[in-house]
Amino acid sequence: MAILIFFFITISFIAPSSSSLPEHHFHFTKTGLRHNTSSQPQQYIEISRPLSFTNLPPSCTFHILTHDFAYTMGLPPVSASYSPPANCSWTHVALQFNVSSKGEQYDRIAAIWLDGAELLRTSTAEPTDDGIFWTVTKDVTRYSSILVNENISLSVMMENLVNDVYTGVYQVNISFLYYNSKKMDVSLSNSYNRKMKPDNEIEKPADMIIPISGNGSEGFWFRIMNESDLHGQSVIIPKNTYKAVIEIYVSSHGYDEFWYTNPPDSYIQMNNLTTKRGHGSYREVLVNIDRMLVGSVIPFPVIFTGGINPMYWGPLVSIGAFDLPSYDIDLTPYLGLLLDRQAHFLELGVNDSIPFWLVGANLHLWVDNNCVLPCEVQAKVIDFGTPKFNIERSSSFLGLDGSFEVEIKRKSEISYWVNSTTGKLTTIIKRELKFKNEMNFYLSGTEKKIKQKVEEEIEVSVLSNSGGTISKTKVKRKFPLTITSKTISSMENDTTLMLSDLDHEWKEKKKLDGGPSTSLKNRQQCNGWVVVQGRNVLHGGATTQQTYSYDNEADCYSRTVSAANGKLMNDTANILCAAAPLKFGSFSAL
Ligand SMILES: *[C@@H]1O[C@H](CO)[C@@H](O)[C@H](O)[C@H]1NC(C)=O
Ligand SMILES: *[C@@H]1O[C@H](CO)[C@@H](O)[C@H](O)[C@H]1NC(C)=O
Ligand SMILES: *[C@@H]1O[C@H](CO)[C@@H](O)[C@H](O)[C@H]1NC(C)=O
Ligand SMILES: *[C@@H]1O[C@H](CO)[C@@H](O)[C@H](O)[C@H]1NC(C)=O
Ligand SMILES: *[C@@H]1O[C@H](CO)[C@@H](O)[C@H](O)[C@H]1NC(C)=O
Ligand SMILES: *[C@@H]1O[C@H](CO)[C@@H](O)[C@H](O)[C@H]1NC(C)=O
Ligand SMILES: *[C@@H]1O[C@H](CO)[C@@H](O)[C@H](O)[C@H]1NC(C)=O
Ligand SMILES: *[C@@H]1O[C@H](CO)[C@@H](O)[C@H](O)[C@H]1NC(C)=O
Ligand SMILES: *[C@@H]1O[C@H](CO)[C@@H](O)[C@H](O)[C@H]1NC(C)=O
Ligand SMILES: *[C@@H]1O[C@H](CO)[C@@H](O)[C@H](O)[C@H]1NC(C)=O
Ligand SMILES: *[C@@H]1O[C@H](CO)[C@@H](O)[C@H](O)[C@H]1NC(C)=O
Ligand SMILES: *[C@@H]1O[C@H](CO)[C@@H](O)[C@H](O)[C@H]1NC(C)=O
């Protein structure tokens, strides 16, 4: 059966046979696009709120690295020597990562490490003949315990390859900007404004950070190929540690780049498909201590700039593309285990993964400075509870059409106490994680609808020695995602027309009992079409609409932006609560 469709760009398309389903279904470059080269280089952006402490000029600036990433495939990271600027007093630090590029190039993954600890995971935008440029400014104050060290190494990994076709070189400048918030209005110094994380608690940076990372020969991340490919490191923590948090950086690549769209292996086998993008659509990053599961993350699906329809991502890149979120897991409940002066193995894996994932972590430790040896902090688990994990899968298909569903649920409750010089505090952490992915394939698999939901809720109650509640915090996080796509292939020209819609969002709410609440909503809705040949986009059109709103009662920011066919159409920012009285000192520091 052959359906002939005449599209407005006067190309005829013929419905595909199964074998002609494009292998690289979702990842493209704009190499075939005709550019209007009479234009200026264009600035690309990822929408986020401005950092609160960057209102004043920095006290010091350290331009640490300038490098052109051209032929860096297979090479170790580029490095530079770091020492904090002399005679500079600072309370906050921002990392500034500037990039410019011109020509044609794939989107690339990159990361920056300082002394082996990851500071930034980022991906590049695909350049144009006119040239593009962008800046990522990230609050790196939480890495202060590393930023004060002298003669350490900054390493940057960005594997790129340049040839006659892919001419884009990524020109990178990296700087550290040091700010002294003590010089500012006191109210400003109170909030750390980390992107995507509504954290209005006055959290002081960790006293010590231990990287859980690779040896650096191929970057400090671990390359995870499958679910049994676990990587980690032994750690011995100081005896006076009273709090431990593991921060996880993760990105998915290769056959798992679009893991949330992968059908089960049975579908691929039964249809004799050659694609390796399978193994179903559930993935979860797992953290173990001595082979015991202590935490997990279902990552937000960050879409790189060649993803789905590359026309979506100019000049507004996908949520997280320039500053991939990292995820914190509180390991304080396990201090009772870790505080025995013995080495313990911290390990990372990705459940159900196929090649490949880049995963790394930083272990943040807070020590009790009033407790010097032989004083020791004591900690003990009171009750591990009975962690529940449940997974259900269903799949029904006939030929290339069908529906697939996978659903997981995790539930845990753990209580423990920590006795430091501030007293003996008991904490109860309740966590619930829900994940659901539904896929429907129609019209011989040429039409797909993918719907995914990730929901996590964490409740932390801190009790005093006498049993009174000191604080209760609730965090809710939701990552809804919907993708629909239709493909119509033409045998004649080996081209495929792809129409798609995307709706994804990062939603987060944090509520401190009797205290302020914080909310963040960051949503993108995209719609467009492309004509692709292999992995190249020949023609296309797209619109992207983004709404961002952040509110922590003291500090609000909202922005609505839209782009169409590579141009910014509308950009309205509001600092809604500018008139409201600034609150500070009202958060109970734990
Ligand atoms: C190229 O850009 C110029 C100036 O921005 C514009 O006037 C012209 O219409 C554009 N041409 C095409 C084919 O888009
Ligand atoms: C350090 O800064 C202070 C105040 O800005 C200045 O008085 C002093 O001379 C500086 N010291 C050095 C070694 O630069
Ligand atoms: C990086 O970009 C920012 C914003 O465009 C600019 O202010 C800064 O000077 C740039 N830094 C470097 C080292 O190029
Ligand atoms: C990097 O810094 C150099 C020197 O200051 C400047 O010429 C160049 O434009 C900068 N590039 C970017 C991408 O900021
Ligand atoms: C760092 O290196 C410089 C130059 O090699 C040296 O003078 C200085 O003592 C070193 N500092 C530390 C803390 O090792
Ligand atoms: C570093 O790790 C890589 C990848 O696991 C391995 O191939 C290499 O041999 C290691 N190098 C060193 C010096 O340990
Ligand atoms: C998982 O990946 C590792 C590393 O590439 C490999 O050695 C191992 O054989 C793989 N295991 C399975 C079950 O595929
Ligand atoms: C898959 O291949 C087998 C063996 O070549 C064949 O019998 C079967 O009909 C094929 N199935 C489909 C759906 O093409
Ligand atoms: C990993 O996923 C499988 C299902 O694919 C499940 O049976 C297993 O329990 C999961 N592992 C962990 C540690 O939760
Ligand atoms: C708590 O620690 C203090 C010393 O820091 C010690 O005197 C006290 O006995 C400890 N209490 C418990 C219950 O371990
Ligand atoms: C089809 O291919 C020919 C030859 O490569 C090319 O000239 C023509 O523009 C193509 N048509 C489309 C719609 O891409
Ligand atoms: C920009 O946004 C305003 C307010 O939402 C709307 O009225 C206007 O039509 C938009 N303009 C474009 C070009 O989208």
Side-chain angles (χ1 to χ4, degrees):
M1 184 187 67
I3 307 165
L4 208 64
I5 295 177
F6 291 94
F7 198 65
F8 55 90
I9 43 171
T10 69
I11 312 165
S12 57
F13 292 94
I14 296 160
S17 66
S18 65
S19 59
S20 71
L21 273 179
E23 161 76 14
H24 300 291
H25 213 145
F26 270 138
H27 198 140
F28 308 102
T29 66
K30 297 183 281 190
T31 310
L33 273 181
R34 292 277 155 269
H35 295 300
N36 186 343
T37 52
S38 61
S39 311
Q40 291 292 309
Q42 197 179 5
Q43 180 166 21
Y44 275 46
I45 45 171
E46 181 185 337
I47 303 300
S48 67
R49 62 188 180 276
L51 301 176
S52 61
F53 57 83
T54 55
N55 288 5
L56 281 186
S59 337
C60 315
T61 299
F62 177 18
H63 183 165
I64 185 167
L65 183 83
T66 293
H67 192 83
D68 290 350
F69 290 85
Y71 305 93
T72 44
M73 198 66 82
L75 296 182
V78 170
S79 60
S81 174
Y82 173 92
S83 287
N87 206 18
C88 175
S89 68
W90 50 269
T91 56
H92 291 74
V93 186
L95 171 71
Q96 203 162 62
F97 180 72
N98 290 9
V99 188
S100 64
S101 187
K102 197 172 182 341
E104 309 295 344
Q105 195 49 264
Y106 285 101
D107 48 356
R108 304 293 189 185
I109 188 72
I112 300 177
W113 296 268
L114 189 60
D115 208 13
E118 189 159 349
L119 305 187
L120 174 72
R121 181 77 60 96
T122 184
S123 68
T124 66
E126 293 186 344
T128 63
D129 292 342
D130 294 330
I132 64 168
F133 64 97
W134 69 93
T135 295
V136 186
T137 305
K138 180 174 177 179
D139 181 358
V140 291
T141 308
R142 70 182 307 202
Y143 307 103
S144 291
S145 65
I146 295 177
L147 290 161
V148 296
N149 293 337
E150 284 182 32
N151 297 346
I152 54 176
S153 183
L154 179 99
S155 309
V156 186
M157 190 79 178
M158 186 196 278
E159 286 187 292
N160 194 19
L161 206 57
V162 171
N163 58 30
D164 292 348
V165 181
Y166 301 103
T167 53
V169 171
Y170 289 108
Q171 301 181 299
V172 171
N173 287 339
I174 299 175
S175 308
F176 286 99
L177 310 179
Y178 302 81
Y179 295 86
N180 192 351
S181 68
K182 286 188 190 122
K183 283 198 219 151
M184 299 179 208
D185 184 344
V186 216
S187 59
L188 284 176
S189 64
N190 255 325
S191 65
Y192 285 90
N193 230 340
R194 268 193 271 127
K195 201 187 72 107
M196 288 195 188
K197 287 186 186 161
D199 52 337
N200 49 13
E201 73 198 59
I202 311 162
E203 189 190 38
K204 84 173 171 67
D207 299 294
M208 184 179 184
I209 296 172
I210 303 175
I212 310 296
S213 55
N215 63 27
S217 63
E218 301 167 332
F220 291 85
W221 42 39
F222 296 122
R223 191 173 287 253
I224 291 178
M225 307 302 275
N226 56 55
E227 65 189 27
S228 44
D229 193 17
L230 302 166
H231 291 268
Q233 192 169 302
S234 279
V235 296
I236 299 177
I237 70 164
K239 281 299 291 175
N240 57 348
T241 304
Y242 68 89
K243 181 178 171 183
V245 169
I246 190 165
E247 179 195 19
I248 295 167
Y249 279 97
V250 54
S251 48
S252 62
H253 306 276
Y255 304 136
D256 249 354
E257 179 176 347
F258 303 99
W259 55 271
Y260 39 87
T261 68
N262 287 10
D265 293 338
S266 56
Y267 171 85
I268 293 168
Q269 282 153 13
M270 293 289 283
N271 285 295
N272 297 338
L273 299 177
T274 53
T275 183
K276 292 200 168 73
R277 295 166 182 268
H279 217 48
S281 52
Y282 150 69
R283 303 289 183 274
E284 190 176 14
V285 180
L286 303 175
V287 183
N288 294 337
I289 299 179
D290 302 333
R291 292 284 152 118
M292 170 177 64
L293 180 68
V294 295
S296 76
V297 172
I298 296 188
F300 179 81
V302 174
I303 300 163
F304 303 130
T305 60
I308 303 176
N309 177 344
M311 305 275 301
Y312 285 166
W313 314 124
L316 285 176
V317 300
S318 166
I319 297 168
F322 282 164
D323 184 0
L324 275 85
S326 62
Y327 305 85
D328 287 355
I329 297 173
D330 194 348
L331 295 185
T332 313
Y334 304 96
L335 277 184
L337 178 73
L338 297 169
L339 282 171
D340 62 356
R341 279 213 187 93
Q342 305 296 310
H344 292 277
F345 201 64
L346 258 71
E347 200 176 38
L348 302 163
V350 183
N351 205 6
D352 267 9
S353 58
I354 55 173
F356 63 97
W357 289 68
L358 296 173
V359 185
N362 297 319
L363 179 63
H364 296 249
L365 301 172
W366 285 260
V367 300
D368 184 349
N369 286 313
N370 296 318
C371 175
V372 287
L373 284 170
C375 165
E376 294 178 355
V377 167
Q378 283 125 8
K380 195 173 182 341
V381 168
I382 300 165
D383 189 357
F384 274 115
T386 30
K388 290 191 186 87
F389 174 74
N390 184 42
I391 181 162
E392 275 172 42
R393 297 176 200 264
S394 71
S395 122
S396 84
F397 58 90
L398 186 63
L400 290 163
D401 290 349
S403 59
F404 315 95
E405 205 176 302
V406 53
E407 199 170 352
I408 78 140
K409 238 178 228 175
R410 264 186 209 284
K411 214 171 168 178
S412 63
E413 181 170 342
I414 184 165
S415 55
Y416 63 93
W417 57 258
V418 174
N419 184 24
S420 66
T421 58
T422 51
K424 185 177 168 187
L425 296 177
T426 298
T427 304
I428 304 163
I429 301 184
K430 291 183 195 171
R431 178 189 188 226
E432 201 175 327
L433 174 70
K434 288 189 214 162
F435 166 85
K436 188 175 184 177
N437 179 291
E438 292 169 277
M439 292 195 282
N440 284 288
F441 294 180
Y442 313 98
L443 299 175
S444 300
T446 59
E447 203 171 313
K448 300 183 179 181
K449 193 172 165 83
I450 287 130
K451 205 173 167 176
Q452 179 169 292
K453 238 186 204 171
V454 181
E455 287 183 29
E456 188 181 25
E457 199 174 317
I458 299 171
E459 192 185 286
V460 181
S461 311
V462 182
L463 312 174
S464 70
N465 211 2
S466 58
T469 302
I470 296 177
S471 73
K472 196 170 184 177
T473 319
K474 210 181 235 183
V475 179
K476 274 189 191 179
R477 208 172 274 142
K478 286 185 188 177
F479 306 154
L481 166 76
T482 313
I483 301 172
T484 59
S485 72
K486 281 180 207 176
T487 55
I488 302 159
S489 296
S490 156
M491 283 171 178
E492 170 196 318
N493 235 11
D494 199 22
T495 58
T496 304
L497 167 70
M498 263 194 74
L499 301 137
S500 61
D501 288 295
L502 165 76
D503 188 345
H504 68 162
E505 186 172 13
W506 181 298
K507 267 205 269 198
E508 191 163 327
K509 237 184 192 154
K510 184 168 185 171
K511 175 93 187 106
L512 182 63
D513 246 17
S517 62
T518 306
S519 78
L520 172 65
K521 285 183 188 171
N522 190 4
R523 180 177 189 186
Q524 279 179 326
Q525 288 159 287
C526 312
N527 163 308
W529 61 276
V530 277
V531 173
V532 297
Q533 191 167 40
R535 286 184 71 169
N536 294 335
V537 170
L538 305 179
H539 319 274
T543 60
T544 297
Q545 184 97 29
Q546 184 164 9
T547 51
Y548 181 103
S549 74
Y550 171 82
D551 185 345
N552 78 359
E553 292 180 13
D555 188 8
C556 300
Y557 180 76
S558 89
R559 192 161 170 184
T560 306
V561 198
S562 64
N565 302 323
K567 287 205 167 57
L568 218 51
M569 304 304 287
N570 231 349
D571 186 352
T572 339
N574 278 308
I575 300 172
L576 291 169
C577 312
L582 285 165
K583 286 187 212 156
F584 59 93
S586 61
F587 315 135
S588 59
L590 298 183

